[in-house]
């Protein structure tokens, strides 16, 4: 569950919606240009980079007057429209040659961007640019910070090294992601080895020469096997394959990324990358983030130990052994957690699939946003990168004004990004009636969603909504262009909505033929939600602490550090495994920032308190939330947005109360 953060910048080939699909009150949202061949990618890349260089020369010569900031932002918007669709094809296009061409193009844009961020003429102009109000000033603050972080103010020799490192890091991160995306891991199981796994998961899967079922480690295969397979050996094979997905090559890449980020921070006088990276975020420095994580750990440490004791007891009962005779392994955790939830709370995640067909579930989540925030989603037909991709025009329900465009890619396929993420492809800019575009990419089972997967869908939709409902003056401040330790809050806030009976009843509005989820099942799911909370937060604490340690004051190798840190947890480290090789978050935009998931959750839980009296669909509160928190994007500092919406300073009361609940 994440939002992809990628370099800013696309051109030619924009396909406008047909006139019949235009919405009242404004221009129809522009559809994404789709490239169907490697030569088409290269041609668009060549054309876009040439146009960018020409536009840059014009901007450099432009008089610094009252309209200079708008011209600067026009260039930013052009970069988005020229680069982003090309970058995006790297993650979703079904043709490998197209993906590889997109990767090559993305590296060329990274080279352009690292040079752009060191452009002294623009930096000096930015410092002189007139500002009319607080929004202008916020744009200047953020833009100056981006130039400075790019090395524009460094001495020439250090500036050159900063560019080299930046380009190298872009290439290393791309290769890290590619190694995971192209891994194509397959495992063969005899049917007997899949005892307990729902037949719908494997009965239509391919078979090998021996007639064995061939499964990948995509989530529709991986999660049911880990939660349901009776045989420990089956779970172990699947778990080891997934946890080693990136391979030795990615461990080496992560070591290089950590070393280069450390060197990069050193150019600016910082002893470590964490402090360099966090200085412009809410946490301000690594020490503050670590203190926060320590508070989280102290709140969940006993719960984590209690969870392990419960898992050991469940395993002992399952195997007919004494608790002291069994050891809970990492591949046991999901299976016995689900077993306990079934026994104690009569909750089976697989049982939810019959109530949540994939496309109807998407329609349900869109209906939630419509009810809460006064918008409308209208299916539209535009060219996409795959026939199954769905497209929606987003408009204001009251006025019909066009607000944005949403793409949704629901199902797994070979070579596709294999987790859940949102790409903010285009940002809003009200000064030029520019509407935003987002792409929501997930990998769900065609048979239906579990409640956990419905939660994931709402989380990711929260990122897309942050993009689509942004109404910022400048594109550079659009939607998700907020402090990175706040960016997960709008998506995490919505996760809790799937446990609300009133909210779930909206499914009948979009799918009258769908069986409603029984109230008793929801009650059981709410009761079961608290079990294994200690383990969940303990694991999140480990991920965040590891991330900060990897980019902290002492240069360390990725795997030995992980072995030591995971080894200190209740379930310990499994020799021969290499989880960091698949930890794409910290190789990319969440490096020294993974703590932001927990930090944002504090804010998300506080934001939820505004929806009081059990009415999560309150349209008045929802509209205020849309206008204040989402609409402002990054044109106001995140703490100011939260304060304005809650009408008080934010606090961590709701978060720590939730952590300490039994």
């Amino acid at each position: 569950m994440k939002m992809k953060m990628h370099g800013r910048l696309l051109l030619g080939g924009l396909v406008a919606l047909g006139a019949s699909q235009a919405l009242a009150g404004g221009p129809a949202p522009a559809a994404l240009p789709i490239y169907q061949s490697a030569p088409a990618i290269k041609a668009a890349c060549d054309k876009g980079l040439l146009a960018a260089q020409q536009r840059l020369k014009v901007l450099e010569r432009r008089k610094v007057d009252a309209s200079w900031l708008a011209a600067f932002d026009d260039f930013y918007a052009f970069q988005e429209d020229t680069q982003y669709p090309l970058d995006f094809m790297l993650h979703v296009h079904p043709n490998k040659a197209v993906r590889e061409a997109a990767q090559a193009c993305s590296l060329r844009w990274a080279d352009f961007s690292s040079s752009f961020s060191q452009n002294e003429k623009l930096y000096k102009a930015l410092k002189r640019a007139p500002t009319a109000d607080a929004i202008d000033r916020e744009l200047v603050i953020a833009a100056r910070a981006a130039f400075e972080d790019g090395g524009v103010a460094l001495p020439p020799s250090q500036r050159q090294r900063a560019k080299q490192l930046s380009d190298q890091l872009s290439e290393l991160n791309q290769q890290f992601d590619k190694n995971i995306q192209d891994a194509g891991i397959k495992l063969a199981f005899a049917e007997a080895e899949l005892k307990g796994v729902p037949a719908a998961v494997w009965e239509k899967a391919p078979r090998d020469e021996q007639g064995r079922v061939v499964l990948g480690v995509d989530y529709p295969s991986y999660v049911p096997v880990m939660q349901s397979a009776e045989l420990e050996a089956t779970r172990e094979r699947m778990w080891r394959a997934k946890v080693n997905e990136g391979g030795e090559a990615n461990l080496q890449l992560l070591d290089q990324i950590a070393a280069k980020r450390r060197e990069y921070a050193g150019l600016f006088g910082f002893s470590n990358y964490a402090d360099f990276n966090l200085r412009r975020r809410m946490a301000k420095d690594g020490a503050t983030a670590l203190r926060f994580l320590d508070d989280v750990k102290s709140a969940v440490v006993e719960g984590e130990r209690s969870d392990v004791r419960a898992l050991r007891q469940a395993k002992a009962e399952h195997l007919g052994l004494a608790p002291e005779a069994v050891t809970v392994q990492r591949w046991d955790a999901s299976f016995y957690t689900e077993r306990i939830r079934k026994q104690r709370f009569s909750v089976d995640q697989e049982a939810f699939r019959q109530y949540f067909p994939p496309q109807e579930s998407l329609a349900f989540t869109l209906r939630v946003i419509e009810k809460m925030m006064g918008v409308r989603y209208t299916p539209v037909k535009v060219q996409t990168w795959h026939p199954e991709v769905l497209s929606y025009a987003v408009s204001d329900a009251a006025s019909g004004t066009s607000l944005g465009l949403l793409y949704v890619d629901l199902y797994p396929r070979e070579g596709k990004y294999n987790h859940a993420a949102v790409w903010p492809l285009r940002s809003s800019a009200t000064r030029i009636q520019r509407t935003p575009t987002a792409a929501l990419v997930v990998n769900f089972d065609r048979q239906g969603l579990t409640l956990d997967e419905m939660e994931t869908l709402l989380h990711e939709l929260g990122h897309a909504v942050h993009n689509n409902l942004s109404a910022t003056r400048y594109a550079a401040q659009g939607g998700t262009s907020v402090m990175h330790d706040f960016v997960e809050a709008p998506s995490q806030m919505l996760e809790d909505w799937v446990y609300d009976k009133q909210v779930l009843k909206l499914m009948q509005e979009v799918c009258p033929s769908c069986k409603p989820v029984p109230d008793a099942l929801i009650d059981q799911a709410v009761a079961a939600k608290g079990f294994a909370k200690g383990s969940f937060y303990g694991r999140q604490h480990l991920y965040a602490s590891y991330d900060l340690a990897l980019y902290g004051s002492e240069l360390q190798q990725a795997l030995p550090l992980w072995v030591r840190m995971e080894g200190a947890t209740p379930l310990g480290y499994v020799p021969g495994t290499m989880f960091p090789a698949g930890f794409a978050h910290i190789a990319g935009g969440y490096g020294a920032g993974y703590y932001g998931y927990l930090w944002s959750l504090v804010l998300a839980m506080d934001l939820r308190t505004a929806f009081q009296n059990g009415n999560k669909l309150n349209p008045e509160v929802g509209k205020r939330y849309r206008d204040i928190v989402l609409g402002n994007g990054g044109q106001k500092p995140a703490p100011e947005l939260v304060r304005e919406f809650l009408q008080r300073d934010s606090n961590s009361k709701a978060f720590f109360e939730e952590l300490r609940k039994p």
Side-chain angles (χ1 to χ4, degrees):
M1 299 188 290
K2 67 173 180 175
M3 183 193 70
K4 287 296 287 185
M5 304 296 291
H6 51 136
R8 285 287 183 186
L9 299 158
L10 157 173
L11 176 99
L14 283 172
V15 182
L17 297 179
S20 64
Q21 295 161 340
L23 299 170
L32 196 69
I34 304 299
Y35 306 99
Q36 301 295 6
S37 68
I41 290 278
K42 186 178 185 305
C45 194
D46 292 344
K47 184 178 180 182
L49 284 164
L50 178 61
Q53 294 287 1
Q54 293 169 342
R55 287 174 180 246
L56 179 58
K57 290 176 183 176
V58 173
L59 183 60
E60 287 174 338
R61 295 193 297 267
R62 197 184 195 286
K63 181 182 178 182
V64 182
D65 56 15
S67 62
W68 191 89
L69 284 180
F72 177 74
D73 193 59
D74 285 342
F75 186 82
Y76 176 91
F78 165 79
Q79 288 181 303
E80 274 193 338
D81 288 345
T82 309
Q83 181 189 359
Y84 270 25
L86 294 164
D87 274 354
F88 182 54
M89 291 301 107
L90 165 62
H91 303 282
V92 296
H93 203 283
N95 186 312
K96 187 176 182 180
V98 172
R99 296 197 303 271
E100 289 178 345
Q103 182 180 20
C105 178
S106 185
L107 292 175
R108 293 173 64 193
W109 272 106
D111 173 65
F112 175 86
S113 296
S114 61
S115 296
F116 179 86
S117 67
Q118 294 186 351
N119 189 303
E120 288 186 88
K121 292 179 181 177
L122 296 188
Y123 179 62
K124 290 176 181 177
L126 189 65
K127 291 199 289 186
R128 303 197 315 274
T131 56
D133 56 16
I135 291 175
D136 282 5
R137 289 191 291 275
E138 194 66 26
L139 176 67
V140 170
I141 290 170
R144 284 184 60 178
F147 277 109
E148 289 162 8
D149 288 356
V152 70
L154 293 174
S157 61
Q158 290 178 295
R159 191 185 313 165
Q160 182 180 6
R161 182 56 180 157
K163 175 174 167 42
Q164 290 174 345
L165 288 168
S166 180
D167 292 344
Q168 290 167 5
L169 283 164
S170 294
E171 186 169 4
L172 291 170
N173 174 225
Q174 281 196 10
Q175 190 59 47
F176 191 99
D177 284 348
K178 189 173 187 296
N179 287 344
I180 298 171
Q181 194 167 320
D182 292 348
I185 295 172
K186 304 291 182 185
L187 300 173
F189 296 99
E191 288 189 13
E193 293 178 296
L194 296 173
K195 180 184 177 184
V197 181
V201 174
W202 56 266
E203 62 185 357
K204 294 182 181 178
R207 306 281 176 137
D208 67 5
E209 303 82 28
Q210 284 101 14
R212 295 176 301 178
V213 177
V214 178
L215 296 177
V217 294
D218 52 286
Y219 279 87
S221 302
Y222 177 79
V223 173
V225 169
M226 296 310 300
Q227 291 183 342
S228 309
E230 289 278 345
L231 297 183
E232 183 173 343
T234 299
R235 300 194 303 271
E236 181 179 357
R237 281 184 62 205
M238 182 65 88
W239 179 82
R240 284 183 181 273
K242 185 67 175 176
V243 84
N244 290 343
E245 194 173 19
E248 291 279 356
N250 271 9
L251 290 178
Q252 296 174 18
L253 290 174
L254 191 54
D255 283 340
Q256 293 177 57
I257 289 169
K260 290 182 186 300
R261 282 177 165 167
R262 181 183 180 85
E263 183 185 349
Y264 193 91
L267 296 174
F268 297 83
F270 286 83
S271 63
N272 64 84
Y273 180 71
D275 284 344
F276 168 77
N277 200 36
L278 269 60
R279 75 195 193 282
R280 303 192 195 280
R281 300 186 181 180
M282 296 176 78
K284 300 300 184 187
D285 55 42
T288 302
L290 284 170
R291 282 195 298 273
F292 165 68
L293 292 176
D294 286 344
D295 290 342
V296 172
K297 184 67 173 177
S298 65
V300 303
V301 63
E302 183 48 45
E304 191 175 12
R305 291 173 184 150
S306 175
D307 289 344
V308 173
R309 289 193 294 269
L311 294 176
R312 181 178 289 115
Q313 181 66 37
K315 185 173 182 178
E317 291 174 0
H318 183 222
L319 300 179
L321 299 170
E324 57 271 17
V326 302
T327 301
V328 178
Q329 302 289 355
R330 294 236 167 243
W331 50 84
D332 291 328
S334 293
F335 177 76
Y336 288 108
T337 295
E338 287 306 303
R339 192 175 178 88
I340 290 169
R341 284 177 173 152
K342 290 176 188 176
Q343 291 173 344
R344 290 188 189 176
F345 310 103
S346 301
V347 172
D348 177 3
Q349 282 292 325
E350 290 298 316
F352 283 96
R353 294 196 192 278
Q354 62 182 308
Y355 304 108
F356 298 141
Q359 294 197 24
E360 290 79 0
S361 296
L362 172 62
F364 156 74
T365 59
L366 298 179
R367 188 70 180 127
V368 170
I369 304 303
E370 288 179 335
K371 285 277 193 180
M372 279 181 66
M373 302 184 196
V375 298
R376 180 171 292 119
Y377 290 89
T378 305
V380 291
K381 289 185 178 180
V382 295
Q383 187 183 21
T384 63
W385 55 95
H386 190 273
E388 292 186 313
V389 172
L390 303 170
S391 310
Y392 298 87
V394 191
S395 59
D396 180 74
S399 66
T401 301
S402 177
L403 299 175
L405 184 63
L406 171 66
Y407 294 96
V408 183
D409 193 341
L410 283 174
Y411 306 115
R413 60 180 175 271
E414 199 73 30
K416 176 187 168 183
Y417 176 81
N418 63 3
H419 293 281
V422 165
W423 276 258
L425 295 166
R426 194 171 191 259
S427 300
S428 63
T430 56
R431 63 185 179 80
I432 52 174
Q433 286 192 292
R434 178 181 172 83
T435 55
T437 300
L440 191 162
V441 179
V442 287
N443 292 274
F444 288 146
D445 191 320
R446 294 174 187 272
Q447 305 301 315
L449 277 62
T450 65
L451 195 64
D452 284 347
E453 289 166 345
M454 185 68 90
E455 189 175 329
T456 296
L457 181 56
L458 259 177
H459 173 104
E460 299 305 340
L461 183 59
H463 285 310
V465 167
H466 201 175
N467 166 272
N468 283 167
L469 302 189
S470 170
T472 53
R473 179 186 303 165
Y474 296 111
Q477 296 173 326
T480 53
S481 299
V482 295
M483 291 179 175
H484 208 265
D485 41 13
F486 177 71
V487 76
E488 294 294 333
S491 51
Q492 289 173 321
M493 189 194 82
L494 289 173
E495 292 173 3
D496 200 47
W497 269 231
V498 301
Y499 295 93
D500 187 285
K501 295 175 189 175
Q502 179 188 0
V503 173
L504 287 173
K505 282 181 172 37
L506 292 181
M507 179 64 92
Q508 269 52 63
E509 291 188 13
V510 299
C511 182
S513 63
C514 289
K515 292 187 296 183
V517 184
D519 284 351
L521 192 56
I522 300 303
D523 291 337
Q524 292 156 1
V526 171
K529 190 181 175 186
F531 178 71
K533 182 169 55 181
S535 296
F536 171 79
Y537 285 112
R539 194 70 176 168
Q540 290 298 308
H541 174 273
L542 172 64
Y543 294 157
S545 300
Y546 172 75
D547 174 39
L548 288 174
L550 184 67
Y551 295 115
S553 55
E554 183 182 344
L555 181 62
Q556 304 191 60
Q557 287 188 299
L559 186 59
L561 175 64
W562 177 256
V563 171
R564 177 170 60 81
M565 294 185 71
E566 189 179 40
T569 64
L571 290 184
Y573 167 74
V574 179
T577 60
M578 52 184 86
F579 171 82
F583 201 175
H585 286 77
I586 67 168
Y590 283 72
Y594 194 89
Y595 77 94
Y597 275 98
L598 287 171
W599 188 283
S600 291
L601 189 55
V602 172
L603 297 161
M605 288 188 177
D606 205 16
L607 290 171
R608 288 176 194 165
T609 63
F611 294 87
Q612 294 176 350
N613 304 317
N615 188 2
K616 289 184 167 63
L617 300 174
N618 186 318
E620 292 180 4
V621 180
K623 184 62 164 60
R624 284 186 60 249
Y625 174 76
R626 168 187 160 185
D627 292 343
I628 296 171
V629 179
L630 304 181
N632 275 302
Q635 66 186 12
K636 291 184 180 180
E640 188 177 321
L641 297 178
V642 176
R643 187 183 308 116
E644 185 179 345
F645 175 64
L646 293 176
Q647 298 179 325
R648 60 168 171 79
D649 287 336
S650 182
N651 62 62
S652 58
K653 180 182 177 184
F655 176 75
F656 282 103
E657 281 181 356
E658 174 63 25
L659 258 59
R660 294 188 175 99
K661 280 182 187 175

